[in-house]
Amino acid sequence: MTDSWTPGAVDALRKKHDLPFVRTDEQGQVVEFNDRFRLIYGWDDSLVGETIGLILPPEFREQHHAGFSRFKLTETSKLVNHPLKLSTICVNGDEIRSEHFIVAEKSIEGGWSFAATLRPLEGPHAC
Amino acid sequence: MPVEKNLPADDSGFLIEQLRQSLGLLRVAFDSTGEAMLIIDESRVVRWANQQAADLWGRGITVTMVGRPYSDLIRFHRLDGSQLMEIEPSHPLQKALTKDGLNCYQVGTQADDDSNDGKTDLIVRMVSWRQIIQMNQRFILLIFRDQDPLEQALAAQRQFINNLAHELRTPLAILKGNLHRIKRKAQPPDQLQQSLSDATAETNRMGSLVDNLLLLSELDTDLRRWNMKNGELKTFVERWACNLNLEFKKVLRLDSENIAGSCQVQIDQEALCIILDNLLDNSLRFSNTKSSIEITFRETFSSVELKFNDNGPGIQSEENHIAVFERFTRIEEHRDLKHTDGAGLGLTLVKSLMEGLGGTALCHSIHDSSNSSQQGFSVTLQFPKI
């Protein structure tokens, strides 16, 4: 719900250095990610400016795009502020089951920003 | 030339933005409906779900349902609570392979099974299914909704017929047994003997009517337990034919050489026997002259056809070729004092059983005005190929 957007939610996630972190703009294009994300999932700077759908398995992309578009219209989502177990695609195509925790934040100018921490649940970095 | 190539970058960005908005609007619409919707792909994995479906079976979050086998999330049950296996022809995903449809089921949640020590919370839902083919991929759209008042009344009526038929079976069996005993032990005068025979015949007729009603009610409510086996259609038919009385065998010609009969189908032998028994009974009842029945096979792209042809009078009116499959229909042109009327359920059962098997039943009449001996009635049964 809109009142569950906490100011500073994105920054709070960004500070969790032990977890992979990724942020997108309101178009769903990647704006930044941290070193942990780079290390575990293998993506490099070329991901910046691309759709975040790239790190989701193809079968989830429809739900992702539709959900993103829906959010822009209603500013509500059941996905945010809940741990979600989803697969994440690595740069080499491998899938790592991860726990996503997504937050959204509205800027003073009115634009939305989305961020997530991704806790790997399998593989050498599982935690 | 594709339109996109002519679009300036700004316009294509605008189009994408417009598409996104449309997608969002669609999502809002699908999530606002009272119906739960699932799209399942060929490997039986959930490809798409709306918010209602997620609220019922996905702990409120649609994305957690996507990519999971549907059977991890929901189970279909008959209205008596027994679970429907996916291979059964009454299962919506089996039915969807042949045509779109709608039926009432109890739907259970897999997650509830685990959390309630095996006890499943079942909810009654009307379920409709539709096959979608997109970019060479097959999907099945399942829509779940509450029963409307009319459907609830119909379900109650069907349940009543089912209960009634069950209740009538026992007294009828007692009546039959007693009549049989009286006939055997007493030596009644001729007139009474005739009355006893009439009473026995009527009791038998009532017994078969009750059996047919019960079977129809089971088919209507998807309560029938199917015992599906794979095999050649011809073999199933031969099994039925070899159990017939000699007098029936004499009038029957089975085209066993036809290669189409060797096609593999999935059939419940008992259901096929009921279908063929009813067709045989019909043919013998209406053939005025010496009966002659021929069964032939034909293969089509997606099915195997069985044609059951007799030399009876057939039906004159085109409308009646549809009406004969309706319940309690007796064709006026066939009313004859020499014949005992059937209950008008035989061809209804044939059609309902064929639909239950995923097939169809149609009929037509053979009339040759130049040759009066060239007449007959033909029923075509279509079984889906496997």
Side-chain angles (χ1 to χ4, degrees), chain A residues 4-5 10 19 50 52 62 72 76 98 110 127:
Chain A
S4 68
W5 314 136
V10 171
L19 287 177
E50 297 292 338
I52 192 71
E62 285 151 356
K72 286 186 76 175
T76 63
S98 316
C127 53

Side-chain angles (χ1 to χ4, degrees), chain A residues 26-29 51 58-60 62-67 69-74 78-79 82-86, chain B residues 17 19-21 23-28 31-32 46-51 55 60-67:
Chain A
E26 66 174 2
Q27 305 299 328
Q29 285 165 340
T51 168
E59 66 267 25
F60 288 96
E62 285 151 356
Q63 291 277 342
H64 164 74
H65 292 308
S69 306
R70 179 191 195 282
F71 180 85
K72 286 186 76 175
L73 292 166
T74 62
K78 292 202 173 187
L79 288 186
H82 286 289
L84 279 175
K85 289 186 178 119
L86 293 172
Chain B
E17 193 50 41
L19 279 171
R20 277 186 175 153
Q21 194 182 42
L23 194 59
L25 285 169
L26 281 172
R27 186 76 227 189
V28 170
D31 287 349
S32 309
V46 175
R47 178 65 181 262
W48 183 90
N50 75 343
Q51 191 56 50
D55 289 343
I61 297 176
T62 53
V63 79
T64 58
M65 301 178 79
V66 174

